[in-house]
Amino acid sequence: WHPPYDSIEEPSEIVPKAIFSSIWDENKQFLREKHLYSESFGHFLLSISKDKPAEGNADLISVVLQFVFDVLIHAKEKSLLPAFFDLLMGWVRGPGKLEVCQSFLDDISNKDMANVHWIKVVLLKCTVLEVRRKFVELIGAVFDAVCPVSRISYYEEVEEEEEEVQEQVESKMSDASGEGIGGEA
């Protein structure tokens, strides 16, 4: 006896097309990256990265971040994960930390890059508690490094916005007072 395969619908017919194509694209991307970034590549990347300073190595930082958050956290073998998180934390807390932190924040907030999904994937979908903890620790260290330096600019922007709002209010008030009641002057 054979089950009636002819009467079974294709998965692409059951699942909505947008969801099916999204999952299909994610799986293709992951398989591509899995073969490109193998475990031996992880060892190689770690060996060339651990002695390099963060300052002036934006491309290396970007590759390490992509390897960790796009490939390594999904890998079956996660033995390199602690070493990579230690490397990233060293860069975030060491010399040139502002460049690293700003680059990380730019990557994670740039809507045009695929990296925007890191927050959602790591914090909401990742089932490995230690990965989520290390990611939160990394983000906390990034904000600890960037906040004291950029806090001044936050106040400047707020003051500029307040001045603009005040000018707009005064403009509206003068327009309203010149019109009179019912729009008659």
Side-chain angles (χ1 to χ4, degrees):
W1 180 84
H2 293 290
Y5 291 114
D6 294 336
S7 64
I8 298 175
E9 295 181 56
E10 290 290 320
S12 59
E13 295 171 2
I14 299 171
V15 178
K17 191 170 189 89
I19 294 173
F20 185 81
S21 63
S22 171
I23 292 170
W24 183 256
D25 291 341
E26 285 178 19
N27 288 341
K28 285 192 314 187
Q29 179 71 23
F30 175 72
L31 289 174
R32 235 181 278 128
E33 289 172 353
K34 179 181 170 190
H35 292 295
L36 178 63
Y37 297 119
S38 64
E39 188 175 352
S40 59
F41 177 78
H43 286 287
F44 168 74
L45 184 59
L46 188 59
S47 69
I48 65 167
S49 304
K50 64 182 173 184
D51 297 328
K52 299 273 187 202
E55 200 168 25
N57 285 313
D59 291 338
L60 179 63
I61 294 164
S62 179
V63 169
V64 168
L65 286 170
Q66 285 186 314
F67 177 71
V68 170
F69 295 116
D70 285 338
V71 179
L72 194 57
I73 64 168
H74 301 290
K76 192 182 302 184
E77 178 58 40
K78 293 180 175 35
S79 63
L80 292 175
L81 206 51
F84 273 105
F85 272 114
D86 290 344
L87 173 70
L88 290 170
M89 290 301 287
W91 282 346
V92 165
R93 292 182 173 147
K97 64 184 176 185
L98 291 177
E99 180 183 342
V100 176
C101 294
Q102 194 57 54
S103 175
F104 179 76
L105 290 174
D106 289 345
D107 281 355
I108 212 164
S109 63
N110 187 345
K111 298 263 187 258
D112 297 332
M113 296 181 69
N115 306 350
V116 176
H117 73 281
W118 289 348
I119 294 173
K120 185 170 99 177
V121 167
V122 175
L123 295 179
L124 301 178
K125 293 183 178 181
C126 183
T127 59
V128 182
L129 180 61
E130 191 59 28
V131 171
R132 291 194 312 263
R133 283 185 180 157
K134 290 289 189 180
F135 185 71
V136 169
E137 183 181 342
L138 180 65
I139 290 177
V142 166
F143 284 126
D144 285 345
V146 172
C147 188
V149 175
S150 59
R151 184 174 290 147
I152 296 167
S153 66
Y154 296 150
Y155 294 126
E156 290 172 1
E157 291 175 15
V158 168
E159 289 172 3
E160 289 174 7
E161 289 178 10
E162 286 176 355
E163 289 174 9
E164 289 177 22
V165 168
Q166 186 63 30
E167 289 173 6
Q168 290 175 356
V169 167
E170 289 173 0
S171 171
K172 298 271 186 198
M173 294 295 282
S174 65
D175 289 347
S177 66
E179 288 181 7
I181 300 176
E184 298 173 4

